Amino acid sequence: MTENKKNEASSRRSGFITLVGRPNVGKSSIINALLREKVAAVSSKPQTTRRSVRCILSTDEYQMVIVDTPGLHEPRHELGEFMMREAESAMERVDAICFVTEAGKRMGAEEDEIARRIARLGIPVALIVNKVDRLRDKEDFWRYLGDITDILKPAALVPLSAKEGINLDVLRHELSRLLPEGDFIYPEDVLMDTTERFLAEEIIREKIFELTEQEVPHSVAVVVEEFKSPDEYPELKRMEIRANIIVERAGQKGIVIGERGAKLKSIGTDSRLEMERRFGYPIFLQLWVKVKPGWRKSKLEMERVGYTRG
Ligand SMILES: Nc1nc2c(ncn2[C@@H]2O[C@H](COP(=O)(O)OP(=O)(O)OP(=O)(O)O)[C@@H](O)[C@H]2O)c(=O)[nH]1
Ligand SMILES: [Mg+2]
């Protein structure tokens, strides 16, 4: 390495920061806002994120690998257990942890308990209080924070709105200060450490979360069976993606398909449009709905639909 390169490397910073918190507080939305790009699946329903995913924010000075995680909750089946293992292991060997909460919501005992566990890890913590756009009275901000700051002793506290873009620069700055010196881990143009196949599954699942209600979104898994890109097959003019939507019961299959196939058509159209934007090719998308009774409760079925830990 030349002297110049060495200097450049040592003045740069890079590291891993994991975002954790209760379901639906806005972790994935915060990552999309930080990256200025929609990379992670977001929905109004809790437990949207099922796997930990590394998302990457690169600037001239630093590279932050931000790990999105499933919302922390008491698991009720095998899928929930899988999600919690994903979140727990994402907190190991990282440079900092961001604990995300919601403004104006009183912290419960459960949140305090999570905070205590995080504090015991001995890793620097940033406390993000998201959704401040919803606060009607500024006084509520502190009133509802409760004991959490005493428990976490955060190195930074950032009131934020991922939705309205309030304090995003402050958050970028505060998090970058928690990064150690070191050269970049990923090429600067990489936004996510994952495959296009996984992204396609996430996009379809997100649309199902948006377009179905109650137990249905939680009972769904998406498995891409075929993924052909012009990158690999230059003779193709478009990407060809065939995916199975797995549900737990026959009734749910009817709901996902909808009257005269209308719901499935909407899921397909919305997914295709987002994929075209993300992947940069015209997309041919075929969706099939299949029933696998109780897949969320079976380790074997979970593995078959792709929920295995590497
Ligand atoms: N009003 C408001 N809503 C927000 C904000 N950030 C996120 N949301 C909404 O909160 C809901 C949950 O957002 P997500 O980003 O999916 O939350 P999450 O913490 O990743 O949820 P899980 O993956 O289920 O743990 C969505 O409807 C978002 O649009 C915010 O700053 N203000
Ligand atoms: Mg999420």
Side-chain angles (χ1 to χ4, degrees):
M1 201 187 272
T2 66
E3 205 48 44
N4 244 352
K5 275 262 177 212
K6 226 191 256 168
N7 284 340
E8 198 182 297
S10 64
S11 64
R12 286 169 132 192
R13 277 164 296 143
S14 71
F16 289 85
I17 297 183
T18 292
L19 254 67
V20 295
R22 301 270 297 140
N24 214 42
V25 292
K27 300 175 294 298
S28 303
S29 303
I30 292 170
I31 292 181
N32 292 339
L34 285 174
L35 267 61
R36 300 181 182 90
E37 190 82 44
K38 166 135 188 312
V39 291
V42 165
S43 90
S44 57
K45 315 214 172 45
Q47 300 177 20
T48 304
T49 305
R50 289 183 179 166
R51 285 174 184 282
S52 298
V53 185
R54 291 175 174 184
C55 306
I56 302 135
L57 173 63
S58 304
T59 69
D60 291 341
E61 292 99 40
Y62 62 81
Q63 183 172 74
M64 201 184 287
V65 183
I66 315 167
V67 188
D68 192 13
T69 63
L72 298 167
H73 67 280
E74 204 54 57
R76 283 185 291 129
H77 39 60
E78 202 59 48
L79 176 63
E81 306 257 352
F82 170 87
M83 288 158 67
M84 290 310 90
R85 284 196 297 273
E86 284 279 295
E88 294 289 340
S89 59
M91 284 189 266
E92 291 166 9
R93 291 184 298 276
V94 288
D95 298 293
I97 291 176
C98 270
F99 186 68
V100 184
T101 65
E102 246 183 79
K105 276 214 173 157
R106 194 175 292 283
M107 306 276 167
E110 208 174 334
E111 213 147 16
D112 283 356
E113 188 44 43
I114 297 167
R116 270 186 212 101
R117 267 174 35 221
I118 291 171
R120 282 198 291 271
L121 295 173
I123 298 170
V125 178
L127 175 60
I128 303 179
V129 185
N130 191 34
K131 307 195 187 181
V132 289
D133 55 285
R134 281 198 185 161
L135 272 183
R136 261 177 263 129
D137 184 350
K138 274 193 182 152
E139 293 294 309
D140 285 347
F141 182 81
W142 293 107
R143 195 178 311 143
Y144 288 120
L145 265 188
D147 300 331
I148 207 112
T149 47
D150 291 338
I151 301 170
L152 282 176
K153 303 206 169 42
L157 190 163
V158 184
L160 189 88
S161 168
K163 194 174 177 188
E164 304 289 330
I166 300 169
N167 267 355
L168 284 168
D169 278 340
V170 176
L171 181 61
R172 284 189 197 98
H173 176 72
E174 291 294 339
L175 296 185
S176 71
R177 292 194 319 145
L178 300 172
L179 299 173
E181 282 191 355
D183 208 0
F184 289 6
I185 300 150
Y186 291 94
E188 285 169 45
D189 57 346
V190 172
L191 287 175
M192 242 180 158
D193 185 355
T194 185
T195 59
E196 285 184 323
R197 185 183 272 260
F198 172 74
L199 281 180
E201 290 173 352
E202 285 292 275
I203 290 168
I204 299 163
R205 205 168 56 78
E206 183 196 70
K207 304 311 167 207
I208 298 167
F209 263 67
E210 280 173 357
L211 294 169
T212 63
E213 302 302 326
Q214 291 170 354
E215 213 33 36
V216 179
H218 303 291
S219 306
V220 161
V222 176
V223 184
V224 166
E225 295 289 340
E226 196 179 301
F227 190 101
K228 281 187 171 167
S229 164
D231 293 339
E232 270 175 277
Y233 301 91
E235 72 279 9
L236 290 181
K237 295 259 178 315
R238 54 186 189 176
M239 267 187 172
E240 293 185 6
I241 301 171
R242 288 179 184 80
N244 287 336
I245 296 170
I246 315 289
V247 292
E248 287 193 308
R249 290 197 300 272
Q252 295 170 341
K253 177 173 174 173
I255 292 169
V256 171
I257 293 173
E259 221 166 293
R260 295 183 203 181
K263 183 72 84 186
L264 191 60
K265 195 169 175 207
S266 301
I267 294 167
T269 307
D270 290 1
S271 303
R272 185 172 52 72
L273 291 175
E274 183 162 337
M275 287 178 196
E276 287 180 344
R277 195 170 52 73
R278 300 268 292 271
F279 300 151
Y281 287 116
I283 307 272
F284 171 77
L285 176 65
Q286 246 180 4
L287 297 174
W288 303 96
V289 187
K290 302 215 158 136
V291 183
K292 283 197 182 207
W295 70 264
R296 280 189 295 170
K297 297 186 186 76
S298 150
K299 232 179 189 146
L300 181 68
E301 288 299 343
M302 288 248 317
E303 282 177 17
R304 286 194 177 139
V305 297
Y307 290 106
T308 43
R309 305 211 49 229

